[in-house]
Amino acid sequence: MKQVLAKQELPRHEFHSGDSKATCRKATAHDIEPLYLMIEDYAKKGIMLPRSRAALQRQIDMFVVAEIDGKFVGCGSLCRLGTDLVEIRSLGLSDEHKGQGIGALIVNALTEEARRQKIPKIMALTYAVNFFLRNGFEVVEKEIFPEKVWTDCVNCSKQHACDEIAVLKMLN
């Protein structure tokens, strides 16, 4: 049930910011090292769960990456939590590319994939609440996601003092 992104090619998403063109595509095995390094950097700051290279290799089909001129600048993944719910996780950008619309590009690609799979709800646990609000999500209580609690939160060091905010978007 973990694999969410279909084996077929994800439509290429583009975003223009000044002279640069960001694209979003399905991740490949060649992306494992930059994915690992980005996620590890966020994990060291305590704002993302770490992922091992082996886990990334097993879960590569769940990820999309953003690039500018062929250079890795961001990532995100979908994880199925139930028949009607997916979670956006491991959403990150290089510091120099924040605030340029690339995060929204990644979220849009993941949202389109959830719609394509007819999954009506997409959620995230985040510290970047305003970002998700700008992208059509609303703040909800974490407790409405027992699927998340029993898959990830049960193993998290912040389990009893979680300070992340839950957000949800209903897809039509």
Side-chain angles (χ1 to χ4, degrees):
M1 188 179 320
K2 285 268 185 188
Q3 296 213 354
V4 170
L5 295 183
K7 291 287 185 188
Q8 72 186 44
E9 185 62 29
L10 179 75
R12 204 165 194 77
H13 299 270
E14 296 183 358
F15 175 80
H16 295 271
S17 175
D19 294 334
S20 300
K21 179 174 72 170
T23 59
C24 191
R25 62 167 174 80
K26 193 170 174 348
T28 69
H30 297 291
D31 298 310
I32 290 172
E33 191 61 18
L35 281 168
Y36 173 80
L37 293 172
M38 179 165 284
I39 293 168
E40 184 67 13
D41 185 52
Y42 275 90
K44 285 178 183 174
K45 296 172 186 169
I47 52 179
M48 191 179 288
L49 291 175
R51 305 270 183 243
S52 68
R53 288 176 181 91
L56 290 170
Q57 187 170 357
R58 285 190 308 273
Q59 300 166 354
I60 197 68
D61 290 340
M62 297 167 57
F63 279 85
V64 297
V65 299
E67 298 178 321
I68 293 179
D69 300 325
K71 179 184 176 227
F72 181 98
V73 298
C75 62
S77 70
L78 279 184
C79 180
R80 186 183 288 260
L81 295 176
T83 57
D84 67 344
L85 179 65
V86 290
E87 177 189 15
I88 292 178
R89 54 165 68 171
S90 301
L91 179 63
L93 289 171
S94 58
D95 287 338
E96 65 268 24
H97 293 96
K98 290 181 179 175
Q100 299 178 13
I102 299 168
L105 178 73
I106 295 169
V107 168
N108 288 340
L110 294 171
T111 300
E112 280 186 33
E113 179 62 21
R115 275 193 178 105
R116 191 190 67 70
Q117 292 188 30
K118 297 180 176 39
I119 300 169
K121 297 186 288 188
I122 189 166
M123 61 85 62
L125 290 179
T126 186
Y127 296 108
V129 175
N130 288 334
F131 167 80
F132 280 95
L133 292 175
R134 286 190 307 271
N135 284 280
F137 287 74
E138 63 182 64
V139 173
V140 295
E141 295 296 320
K142 285 187 276 277
E143 293 73 22
I144 70 169
F145 302 116
E147 308 93 327
K148 173 67 177 170
V149 171
W150 290 112
T151 56
D152 292 319
C153 298
V154 71
N155 298 314
C156 181
S157 62
K158 295 182 179 183
Q159 174 186 2
H160 298 293
C162 182
D163 54 351
E164 289 184 301
I165 305 297
V167 293
L168 175 69
K169 184 174 188 175
M170 299 299 293
L171 307 179
N172 304 38

